[in-house]
Amino acid sequence: MSEQELLAEVERDLNIDDIDFSDLEEQYAVEKNFGLENYVVVDGAPVAPESKAPVLEKVLRKLFSKVAQVVEGDDGIYMPVEGGKTKGYLFVQFKNGEQAEAAIKNFNGKKLDANHKLYLNKLSDIGKYTTQVNDEFVEPEIADFKSHGYLKSWLQDEQGRDQMAMHFSETVGVFWNKKKNEPEAAIEPRKGFTSKYAKFSPRGTYLFSIHPQGIQCWGGEDFHSIHKFVHNQVRLVDFSPNEKYMVTLSPLPIEIPDSPEELARCPFGPESKGHKLVIWDLTTGEPARTFALPPHLEGQKEMPWPLVKWSYDDKYCARQGPDALAIYETPSFQLLDKQLVKIEGIVDFDWAPSGVHLNGSKGESEYVLSYWTPESSNQTARVALMHIPSKKVLRTVNLFQVSDCKMHWQDEGRFMCVKVDRHSKSGKTLFTNLEFFKVTEKDIPVEKLELKDVAINFAWEPKSERFITISNLDNGNTNPAIPRNAINFYAPETTTKNNIVTTKYKLFAEFTDKHSNTILWAPKGRFVVVATITKSNGEIEFFDCNYEDDKTTKKGGKNDTNVKLLRTEKYPGMTNMSWDPSGRFLAAWSSNWMHSIDNGYRLFEFTGNMLREEPIDQFKEFIWRPRPASLLSSADKKTVRKNIKEYSAQFDENDAMEADAATREAILNRKRKLEEWRAYRAHFANKNTKENNVEAEVIEEIKEVIIEEKVEAVEQ
Amino acid sequence: MRPIKLMGHERSLTQVKYNREGDLIFSVAKDSTASIWYSSNGERLGTLEGHKGTLWSIDVDSETKFCATGSADLSIKLWTVENGICVYTWAAPTPVRRVSFSPDNKKLLSVTDQVMGQLGTILIYAVNYDGDYSNQKAEPILTIPTRPDSSKVTVAEFSQDGKYIIAGHEKGEISKYDASTGEYIQSVQAHGIHNEEQTVSVTDIQLAPEDGSYFITSSKDKCAVLIDLESFEILKVYKADAPMNTAAITPLKDYVILGGGQEARNVTTTSENQGKFEARFYHKIFEEDIGRVKGHFGPLNTIAVHPDGSGYTSGGEDGFIRVHTFDNSYTEFYYDVERTERAIAAGTT
């Protein structure tokens, strides 16, 4: 019998149903989802004609292959075609589940090109989520629109007064500046308003308070609550220049709660887990992007702040990392060109504070940023200007023996000054060079100004080419009591030689033997205060940089280089100063955060005349409410300037009336108090004066009587 | 106003007092010797020696027969002013922070500190004034302990008619007791309510010189307060910018004088012009700051006004006593409304 016959016989005898196959079934059981995790649904791909489909498939295959292996051949990618066109979605099979995950992580939400953004989802997820969706459309509930009133109402004040917030003890109040008179409360001062500090947004629309749970935004005429930004233990806050975004930093990493209820209340998605830096959209109150803290900043005691710097119109923002700059576009907050800008050793960078009119850019405003890198073993230190979004380096300057660089942009973006602190070869003496990038001129020429001493401070005059430095004369004497600082005023000087116009910065005024360390220009220029802020001897000096006197009028009104020290004021406990947005008033204060000496504030006119002094216990901060840019055109401004006399007369009258009212009030108040007191005393007058007299007499009598008695007692 | 500077104490002054006529000044300091001075020329009449610790308080009776001193050496001594002899010593349970004679000189009040497990207490001793004064009753005739709902007593005074005892407490309250029974009558939260200061302990109580119907209290809360004796209502509040150690009401003119300054422990870290070591004059009725007298280079611990209103004496943490006589500008200064009032009064009479 052949083998085959034998097998056939056995089969015939056996009843298959009787055999227990469970062990085998178990061994070769197929999982329900078997292989499904390898599949990914790709959505958002271009819709292409059928003829182009293979090309598209090839492109996508190549793209995904960067991070994961796609199964070879037709099984790898299936792209449905209908009516001669692809449908914009496709199915991709990867070698295994992990690779599919990797592809999703890398490509979900990424741009394929300018018009197409890819969305990748697991096939299994599609099944999981679509089954839970109700077939019937339910209208989502849209919350009623809640008006916050006119958020800029304070600008409509008839007298054009400015507002300020004052923070003392645990209380924050918003007040109207009434010059000499007691500030008028705009809202009832609120106790326990903030746990750290209060802050206005850069254009003054919102007021922010900081709490352990996050940040609260207030606004409108009555400063009602507008948004809550939940960010646990938030410490630092910053804003984009146009108030579109807010940046917050907390030392605690974001935790994503597990329970669905808490998750619904948590503003952050799972991708934010462990992040500490959050960019918020101020209008919606939602987070726009979160970042982890760069590793080199983790655990740092002093945090450089802001960590995110913004271009002048909020279009771009940038973060500095080790050896790289990350530039993001708003509102998507995606990396510009999807990659970091590698800059070896970058120490610091700054955006031009306004649009730059580069030579040859046909009057268009460009985005420019500056950065510097220190010396390394085979490279000089460098300061460079970069054009964004092209990332083209516009100009580089090489520097030697550099200790430190500080970049100072002029506020219109016309100039950028780099204060370079250099050391001699021995490293013993320091001196400063100022390198001026004339950004708007052809090829960006750089002018160098070599100083003999160390400039400890530098400040551009707003909307001008003038600047001030404070330099420190190092003559080997270390006695801190001897003033060694000099205040230097510079302006460009134009010389014409052989029809070639050259401008050079020239020192036109100098004040030596000072302790001064702080420069604060009035926001509209011309006036500047130079102050000494130290532990014990505060001093403020008010300068007018366009002083008009007989000398200048003789020269035909040109007084750009006529500096006059208007006034010197001593303020021993001073810790901070701030100009009001109009540049008419200067507030100086002694903050309880620094020390508890003489806490309170003083208000000065721009001429140095003190208007008001108010000691307040535990005074912490004086915050002027910023104003948005003026809506007047330059022609309108000219008209106002021409008719300034008429305008000022009107305000003078207001001032006089107000001052009189205040004095009258005070007198009436005293009169009332005096009457009250007389009435109070009259109440006692009748009985007490009598009693008093009697008492006095009685004392005399008793004294005599007692002595007599005593004598008698001895005699007895 | 050129003061007479009395340099007789080696340590910080704790209290100065005038006698009723104002010809003598009594002073105590943290050294253990009390001094008596002629107010007219600053000559020292003599010293009272015998205590072994810091002297916290001194008082003289209305006839300048005796003076009493309270000391941290747990004793109160009674001295005859005439010859400076200590005639009696009461033992106290804890350091004595304040002593004061009753208006009839029959009783002596003392405030004992809340240390060593003892409650802060007002003790009243009978004074054998006319008889054998070296034979005094050692036990107090009345003890007023700190009430459970109150804080430790820091200063106390008899009212001018002797009916009440007014006491100031550590947490800023002022309370009134019946002087004969020790019964609690009422209290008022006078300090710590005008600002958000944390230390609010009452540092001084002085009666109105005209009739004692109201009194002034000073406190570490940087304020002084005028209170009506009967109603116990706060009449006026004088706000300063440093902790206040003492306050006095001037006769003749409607002023009050406040003294204080930066806490002694912070003095070395601040310069003289930041320490606010000035006597501050406020208008009693208008509560307005009208002037300051500089001179001390430490906080002012005590101020007393001459009974006839011609001057005042201040004692400072710097160890000096400064005896001031007021200039003409002091008496001639009137507010506009006061001048109007005087003009009307002159016109009608």
Side-chain angles (χ1 to χ4, degrees):
Chain A
M1 204 192 278
S2 75
E3 211 173 299
Q4 276 181 348
E5 280 166 18
L6 196 71
L7 261 176
E9 197 160 323
V10 171
E11 254 174 49
R12 214 181 304 130
D13 292 348
L14 270 174
N15 186 350
I16 293 197
D17 294 342
D18 292 347
I19 303 172
D20 183 13
F21 287 118
S22 61
D23 56 335
L24 287 174
E25 268 170 7
E26 203 172 291
Q27 195 178 344
Y28 294 104
V30 175
E31 247 183 81
K32 244 194 194 163
N33 277 341
F34 175 71
L36 273 186
E37 73 268 19
N38 296 2
Y39 289 94
V40 168
V41 182
V42 180
D43 203 355
V47 176
E50 201 174 348
S51 56
K52 292 277 175 65
V55 184
L56 180 61
E57 197 182 310
K58 206 172 159 188
V59 168
L60 290 170
R61 184 184 288 275
K62 201 173 162 191
L63 179 73
F64 295 136
S65 301
K66 276 185 197 166
V67 295
Q69 281 175 291
V70 182
V71 171
E72 303 281 323
D74 282 349
D75 287 348
I77 292 183
Y78 169 64
M79 200 166 0
V81 178
E82 199 179 83
K85 277 184 173 179
T86 61
K87 296 185 78 177
Y89 62 83
L90 54 143
F91 302 90
V92 184
Q93 186 186 2
F94 289 95
K95 278 266 161 66
N96 56 39
E98 280 119 56
Q99 300 211 344
E101 290 266 0
I104 291 170
K105 205 176 158 199
N106 275 284
F107 293 108
N108 188 23
K110 284 287 156 64
K111 275 186 173 176
L112 180 65
D113 55 37
N115 301 324
H116 296 92
K117 208 170 176 181
L118 295 180
Y119 297 98
L120 278 74
N121 282 295
K122 277 195 262 181
L123 187 60
S124 52
D125 280 354
I126 303 252
K128 201 157 94 192
Y129 292 117
T130 47
T131 50
Q132 286 172 5
V133 173
N134 204 334
D135 283 344
E136 217 170 294
F137 175 67
V138 182
E139 187 96 21
E141 249 182 65
I142 298 170
D144 285 339
F145 172 71
K146 201 174 142 249
S147 169
H148 291 301
Y150 185 45
L151 292 175
K152 291 179 178 165
S153 57
W154 93 100
L155 297 172
Q156 294 174 323
D157 181 55
E158 276 184 13
Q159 294 170 51
R161 297 173 299 180
D162 272 300
Q163 280 192 346
M164 68 261 194
M166 285 200 267
H167 186 179
F168 46 94
S169 322
E170 301 308 314
T171 308
V172 174
V174 179
F175 301 88
W176 292 102
N177 172 20
K178 303 245 299 179
K179 300 176 203 170
K180 273 188 182 159
N181 302 323
E182 194 176 334
E184 179 188 325
I187 50 158
E188 184 74 15
R190 294 174 190 170
K191 219 175 160 180
F193 178 74
T194 175
S195 67
K196 294 204 176 339
Y197 50 89
K199 209 167 179 174
F200 277 111
S201 58
R203 293 179 165 196
T205 315
Y206 309 105
L207 178 64
F208 295 86
S209 61
I210 306 202
H211 307 274
Q213 302 82 9
I215 291 180
Q216 171 81 266
C217 166
W218 311 81
E221 208 165 342
D222 54 350
F223 285 91
H224 59 266
S225 165
I226 290 182
H227 280 306
K228 276 183 183 151
F229 302 90
V230 179
H231 193 187
N232 203 10
Q233 298 303 330
V234 60
R235 286 280 164 81
L236 291 165
V237 184
D238 189 45
F239 304 94
S240 71
N242 294 300
E243 302 187 336
K244 277 191 202 158
Y245 303 101
M246 174 171 77
V247 188
T248 60
L249 179 74
S250 160
L252 283 191
I254 293 169
E255 280 177 29
I256 305 300
D258 294 328
S259 76
E261 285 163 35
E262 281 178 59
L263 198 62
R265 263 182 285 135
C266 173
F268 303 109
E271 72 282 356
S272 299
K273 191 168 163 50
H275 289 182
K276 294 180 173 179
L277 189 66
V278 182
I279 299 180
W280 304 83
D281 188 321
L282 271 181
T283 34
T284 61
E286 298 293 325
R289 178 89 202 249
T290 61
F291 295 105
L293 205 57
H296 68 284
L297 292 176
E298 282 288 354
Q300 290 267 6
K301 238 184 186 175
E302 293 214 356
M303 188 61 62
W305 190 252
L307 280 175
V308 178
K309 293 182 185 171
W310 302 84
S311 69
Y312 69 97
D313 60 355
D314 296 5
K315 176 84 177 74
Y316 298 100
C317 66
R319 291 197 308 146
Q320 179 191 319
D323 295 330
L325 202 55
I327 303 170
Y328 302 90
E329 268 178 293
T330 63
S332 68
F333 286 97
Q334 294 298 330
L335 268 179
L336 184 65
D337 302 334
K338 295 175 205 159
Q339 53 191 352
L340 298 168
V341 185
K342 287 255 183 286
I343 301 168
E344 197 76 27
I346 180 167
V347 180
D348 196 12
F349 77 100
D350 252 324
W351 287 93
S354 121
V356 178
H357 298 277
L358 290 173
N359 188 278
S361 69
K362 293 166 202 140
E364 274 173 44
S365 298
E366 307 275 354
Y367 303 93
V368 175
L369 60 78
S370 62
Y371 62 86
W372 78 279
T373 56
E375 276 167 296
S376 61
S377 52
N378 55 0
Q379 213 173 24
T380 59
R382 277 179 185 170
V383 180
L385 293 183
M386 183 185 272
H387 178 253
I388 301 296
S390 71
K391 301 185 188 170
K392 202 176 97 191
V393 175
L394 299 169
R395 186 73 158 88
T396 314
V397 167
N398 294 318
L399 303 162
F400 307 92
Q401 292 158 11
V402 174
S403 292
D404 193 18
C405 277
K406 286 261 155 25
M407 295 173 290
H408 300 273
W409 277 93
Q410 191 253 8
D411 66 335
E412 298 165 304
R414 284 161 62 203
F415 310 99
M416 204 269 290
C417 168
V418 188
K419 184 171 82 68
V420 190
D421 290 341
R422 299 184 58 195
H423 49 82
S424 60
K425 270 202 177 131
S426 64
K428 269 182 189 158
T429 48
L430 276 174
F431 58 99
T432 301
N433 281 3
L434 299 175
E435 309 266 349
F436 294 92
F437 288 72
K438 302 191 172 172
V439 189
T440 52
E441 288 177 33
K442 191 167 181 254
D443 295 334
I444 314 185
V446 174
E447 184 186 327
K448 189 181 207 172
L449 194 64
E450 291 191 23
L451 307 180
K452 286 182 194 66
D453 37 19
V454 182
I456 54 170
N457 218 327
F458 176 97
W460 286 103
E461 178 179 1
K463 302 202 175 18
S464 153
E465 294 181 43
R466 296 189 290 186
F467 62 90
I468 297 179
T469 63
I470 297 179
S471 56
N472 179 285
L473 181 70
D474 187 6
N475 58 2
N477 191 336
T478 52
N479 184 352
I482 297 172
R484 285 177 299 147
N485 291 359
I487 311 168
N488 307 304
F489 293 77
Y490 291 88
E493 194 185 46
T494 319
T495 48
T496 319
K497 203 175 170 187
N498 305 335
N499 283 337
I500 300 165
V501 182
T502 46
T503 57
K504 247 181 131 44
Y505 289 108
K506 204 178 153 235
L507 181 73
F508 66 92
E510 188 177 21
F511 295 83
T512 52
D513 299 336
K514 297 283 184 191
H515 280 297
S516 318
N517 52 17
T518 311
I519 311 169
L520 210 57
W521 280 96
K524 303 269 190 265
R526 177 168 172 180
F527 297 97
V528 63
V529 293
V530 180
T532 313
I533 298 181
T534 58
K535 270 187 182 159
S536 49
N537 308 308
E539 194 178 70
I540 314 175
E541 287 178 311
F542 294 81
F543 291 95
D544 180 353
C545 296
N546 288 31
Y547 188 67
E548 287 163 22
D549 56 13
D550 300 346
K551 213 167 69 191
T552 56
T553 37
K554 251 179 228 164
K555 273 198 281 179
K558 197 179 172 324
N559 54 4
D560 272 1
T561 54
N562 196 19
V563 177
K564 164 99 172 165
L565 173 59
L566 299 172
R567 196 162 178 143
T568 306
E569 281 282 336
K570 287 224 181 300
Y571 189 172
M574 175 174 64
T575 59
N576 300 79
M577 298 184 305
S578 174
W579 282 98
D580 82 317
S582 69
R584 290 177 296 165
F585 306 103
L586 178 86
W589 65 96
S590 157
S591 168
N592 186 243
W593 284 326
M594 306 296 284
H595 54 61
S596 55
I597 305 160
D598 267 332
N599 290 155
Y601 71 91
R602 291 182 193 182
L603 191 66
F604 298 93
E605 259 174 349
F606 62 90
T607 54
N609 190 18
M610 185 158 82
L611 294 172
R612 189 169 169 76
E613 178 181 8
E614 193 174 356
I616 298 176
D617 276 326
Q618 295 184 48
F619 189 82
K620 288 181 175 146
E621 201 174 15
F622 189 107
I623 318 154
W624 289 105
R625 188 172 193 177
R627 278 170 179 264
S630 168
L631 296 173
L632 294 181
S633 68
S634 49
D636 289 339
K637 283 182 191 166
K638 221 172 232 171
T639 339
V640 172
R641 220 166 280 146
K642 215 172 115 193
N643 302 328
I644 192 89
K645 283 228 166 87
E646 283 165 42
Y647 284 104
S648 69
Q650 182 188 329
F651 285 109
D652 282 347
E653 203 180 313
N654 277 349
D655 283 357
M657 267 167 69
E658 190 141 298
D660 258 354
T663 330
R664 209 176 57 222
E665 183 73 14
I667 293 172
L668 286 178
N669 194 19
R670 269 186 221 129
K671 199 164 188 174
R672 186 178 51 77
K673 280 184 174 173
L674 188 65
E675 276 165 14
E676 274 175 21
W677 182 261
R678 294 291 176 239
Y680 166 72
R681 292 308 303 163
H683 180 66
F684 289 92
N686 301 329
K687 50 179 186 183
N688 273 24
T689 36
K690 224 190 276 166
E691 262 179 40
N692 223 9
N693 288 341
V694 173
E695 226 174 71
E697 281 168 15
V698 167
I699 288 167
E700 296 298 332
E701 280 175 3
I702 287 171
K703 196 176 169 185
E704 285 174 12
V705 169
I706 287 168
I707 289 166
E708 278 171 13
E709 276 179 359
K710 197 175 156 189
V711 171
E712 279 171 9
V714 172
E715 279 174 0
Q716 280 171 355
Chain B
M1 183 155 54
R2 200 180 166 80
I4 307 170
K5 201 165 156 189
L6 309 183
M7 295 178 278
H9 289 285
E10 286 164 7
R11 293 196 55 201
S12 338
L13 271 293
T14 50
Q15 198 171 21
V16 292
K17 276 241 166 117
Y18 281 94
N19 64 346
R20 197 175 63 123
E21 289 74 20
D23 61 332
L24 295 181
I25 295 169
F26 295 75
S27 67
V28 280
K30 285 184 184 168
D31 56 19
S32 49
T33 308
S35 294
I36 305 174
W37 318 75
Y38 288 108
S39 65
S40 56
N41 58 6
E43 192 188 322
R44 178 141 73 178
L45 175 65
T47 55
L48 307 175
E49 288 170 28
H51 277 294
K52 291 185 190 70
T54 292
L55 286 171
W56 285 117
S57 179
I58 189 163
D59 196 22
V60 56
D61 72 48
S62 58
E63 291 169 27
T64 322
K65 184 172 171 188
F66 296 123
C67 78
T69 51
S71 166
D73 68 1
L74 313 184
S75 69
I76 303 162
K77 282 184 190 292
L78 188 69
W79 317 75
T80 45
V81 176
E82 204 177 8
N83 51 16
I85 290 168
C86 174
V87 291
Y88 190 77
T89 303
W90 285 279
T94 57
V96 181
R97 303 295 289 206
R98 188 89 169 187
V99 289
S100 179
F101 280 105
S102 68
D104 61 3
N105 303 331
K106 295 267 170 60
K107 287 185 250 178
L108 181 68
L109 164 158
S110 76
V111 174
T112 56
D113 210 348
Q114 182 163 327
V115 285
M116 307 190 286
Q118 304 270 356
L119 277 178
T121 308
I122 304 171
L123 299 174
I124 292 146
Y125 297 95
V127 179
N128 188 354
Y129 192 79
D130 300 316
D132 178 8
Y133 40 71
S134 60
N135 182 15
Q136 301 283 355
K137 195 175 164 215
E139 293 307 314
I141 53 168
L142 191 61
T143 303
I144 308 175
T146 302
R147 304 190 309 283
D149 59 339
S150 183
S151 55
K152 134 184 157 182
V153 55
T154 51
V155 287
E157 273 308 325
F158 279 106
S159 70
Q160 189 153 314
D161 53 10
K163 263 162 75 182
Y164 305 119
I165 290 168
I166 318 151
H169 299 263
E170 195 177 24
K171 295 217 171 116
E173 58 291 27
I174 307 288
S175 41
K176 183 159 83 175
Y177 297 94
D178 187 310
S180 48
T181 62
E183 192 186 338
Y184 164 68
I185 300 169
Q186 66 189 128
S187 72
V188 60
Q189 186 69 40
H191 292 281
I193 53 170
H194 313 293
N195 49 32
E196 293 171 24
E197 284 302 318
Q198 299 305 313
T199 346
V200 299
S201 109
V202 179
T203 49
D204 199 8
I205 294 182
Q206 293 198 26
L207 303 182
E210 57 260 45
D211 59 1
S213 59
Y214 58 98
F215 57 92
I216 193 165
T217 63
S218 65
S219 159
K220 294 282 183 199
D221 75 348
K222 307 186 178 174
C223 292
V225 168
L226 211 62
I227 299 171
D228 179 64
L229 176 67
E230 277 307 323
S231 69
F232 241 51
E233 272 168 21
I234 295 176
L235 301 172
K236 303 283 174 191
V237 180
Y238 310 99
K239 290 183 181 171
D241 50 5
M244 286 296 118
N245 294 330
T246 178
I249 306 169
T250 60
L252 220 60
K253 297 288 287 183
D254 285 325
Y255 302 146
V256 296
I257 311 175
L258 273 54
Q262 197 104 43
E263 285 294 345
R265 62 171 182 275
N266 294 337
V267 167
T268 50
T269 63
T270 52
S271 71
E272 192 186 328
N273 56 355
Q274 291 166 354
K276 314 177 198 316
F277 310 135
E278 303 147 324
R280 291 135 198 276
F281 286 70
Y282 287 77
H283 197 279
K284 182 170 72 185
I285 302 168
F286 308 140
E287 299 163 281
E288 280 173 43
D289 190 347
I290 50 174
R292 298 186 180 189
V293 176
K294 285 189 184 177
H296 282 287
F297 47 89
L300 276 71
N301 285 341
T302 172
I303 285 176
V305 182
H306 196 290
D308 66 7
S310 64
Y312 81 98
T313 296
S314 58
E317 186 73 20
D318 56 7
F320 297 123
I321 304 168
R322 299 173 76 90
V323 184
H324 303 76
T325 311
F326 293 127
D327 292 340
N328 284 342
S329 62
Y330 169 88
T331 42
E332 282 162 9
F333 175 80
Y334 286 105
Y335 269 98
D336 33 19
V337 287
E338 290 179 302
R339 232 175 278 134
T340 328
E341 189 192 37
R342 282 162 61 84
I344 293 167
T348 50
T349 47

